[in-house]
Amino acid sequence: MSRFRFKAVCLFAIAAMPVHANPRAFITNQLDNSVSVIDTQNRSVIETIKVEGKPAGVAINPVLKQIYVSTPEGGGFAVLDGDKLTKLRNVKVGGASLGITTDRKGQQIFVADWYENSVAVFDSKDFSRLKTITVGKSPSGMTVSPDNRWLYVANRIDDSISQIDLRKLTIRNTTKVGAHPFGIAVDSQGKRLYSANVESDDVTVLDARSLKRLATVKVGARPYAVALANSDGLLFVTNQDDSTVSVVDTATLKQVAVIPVGDKPEGISAHPDDRHIYVANWFDNNVSVIDAKTLQVVDTINTGEGSRAFGEFITH
């Protein structure tokens, strides 16, 4: 092969390789009224964005490269530019917005209103309200199935999970779980749904299609949120009052490890590498990074006061 041809083949191969932007973690600091942006490659804060209204929930829209941040005391959510790391606008919702997520196509934004017992649906192009869906009392955590068919909503005071049909924007099913469900997660195959139940100190495992209860797994004190890693083989659960993260083997549905993290851990999200887990520690004002292979904390990143980061807060 000639040198010219060899060089051309190499350039083609490089061009054909997928390009992955460096993921960033967006951490809401509720007491600082700000969002810390972490570069996950060097694990340092590269920007702090001012967001009024006690920011809490986070949702990523990879299609539009936007970040949505719920503002419970602002009655809505803020829209951030994921590239420029600036705030674009505020959108009004109503009562006290908390949980927030998007559909898998980046076309719709779902906002849980804690006081109004509803989920507001917004068009991501012009932020017009498309519908308001009445759910259970004090809706909090939300997630969308991988096939973009279902929206799941944790109704904290009702001790239930609602399943919303995204084609009709109506409730298909509601199932009782443990006491005061808050953070939820669905696996990458859309087969299982996991709910952290704050008051019963356990996780409910549901069939994601039928919402049939499959198991209950005991974890630590006041479990807040959940995230999956290691090809869905491990479930990580933040235990607020224990300052730990429980690790559950999803094959056996047994707790296999307990990892000490910062004080009052709340939000948790998996890195796209499927190996590292980021945990926001409310009282310590920082983020713990866990290695899902070694089950050890490998880094701690200082953020802002009252780091919460409720939702899926790392870009892909």
Side-chain angles (χ1 to χ4, degrees), residues 3-217:
R3 181 178 299 179
F4 175 80
R5 187 180 176 190
F6 176 77
K7 187 175 182 180
V9 169
C10 289
L11 289 173
F12 176 80
I14 292 170
M17 291 175 65
V19 177
H20 299 285
N22 183 39
R24 292 168 171 173
F26 289 78
I27 309 298
T28 52
N29 305 308
Q30 198 163 39
L31 302 182
D32 268 353
N33 285 306
S34 69
V35 174
S36 294
V37 184
I38 296 173
D39 181 323
T40 64
Q41 184 173 10
N42 58 33
R43 295 182 189 156
S44 64
V45 173
I46 58 173
E47 187 63 81
T48 300
I49 307 169
K50 197 69 176 175
V51 176
E52 299 291 343
K54 303 299 181 184
V58 185
I60 306 292
N61 187 332
V63 178
L64 298 180
K65 297 183 179 180
Q66 292 180 342
I67 316 300
Y68 309 119
V69 177
S70 67
T71 52
E73 292 191 9
F77 63 97
V79 182
L80 310 182
D81 186 311
D83 285 338
K84 297 179 181 179
L85 305 182
T86 57
K87 189 174 80 169
L88 299 175
R89 61 175 293 172
N90 294 314
V91 180
K92 296 296 290 184
V93 177
S97 56
L98 181 59
I100 189 166
T101 193
T102 67
D103 69 355
R104 300 289 176 168
K105 297 179 181 179
Q107 297 175 346
Q108 295 179 336
I109 307 161
F110 308 102
V111 188
D113 194 317
W114 181 265
Y115 291 146
E116 300 297 327
N117 305 323
S118 64
V119 173
V121 185
F122 289 86
D123 188 313
S124 63
K125 291 182 180 178
D126 58 9
F127 301 103
S128 61
R129 187 190 293 247
L130 302 176
K131 190 169 184 178
T132 300
I133 306 167
T134 299
V135 290
K137 294 179 181 178
S138 299
S140 46
M142 296 188 294
T143 192
V144 173
S145 62
D147 63 1
N148 211 45
R149 186 71 172 85
W150 313 107
L151 170 68
Y152 304 99
V153 184
N155 306 305
R156 177 159 175 163
I157 304 301
D158 277 349
D159 302 335
S160 69
I161 303 290
S162 291
Q163 178 187 36
I164 294 174
D165 186 326
L166 288 185
R167 295 174 185 170
K168 302 176 181 178
L169 293 181
T170 57
I171 292 178
R172 174 181 181 266
N173 197 358
T174 298
T175 297
K176 288 288 185 179
V177 289
H180 289 198
F182 205 73
I184 58 177
V186 64
D187 67 22
S188 61
Q189 301 300 310
K191 293 182 177 180
R192 283 184 177 178
L193 182 72
Y194 300 89
S195 166
N197 306 312
V198 178
E199 295 294 338
S200 53
D201 298 338
D202 56 26
V203 171
T204 301
V205 186
L206 301 170
D207 180 295
R209 168 71 184 186
S210 66
L211 286 198
K212 178 182 177 181
R213 282 174 290 176
L214 302 176
T216 300
V217 183

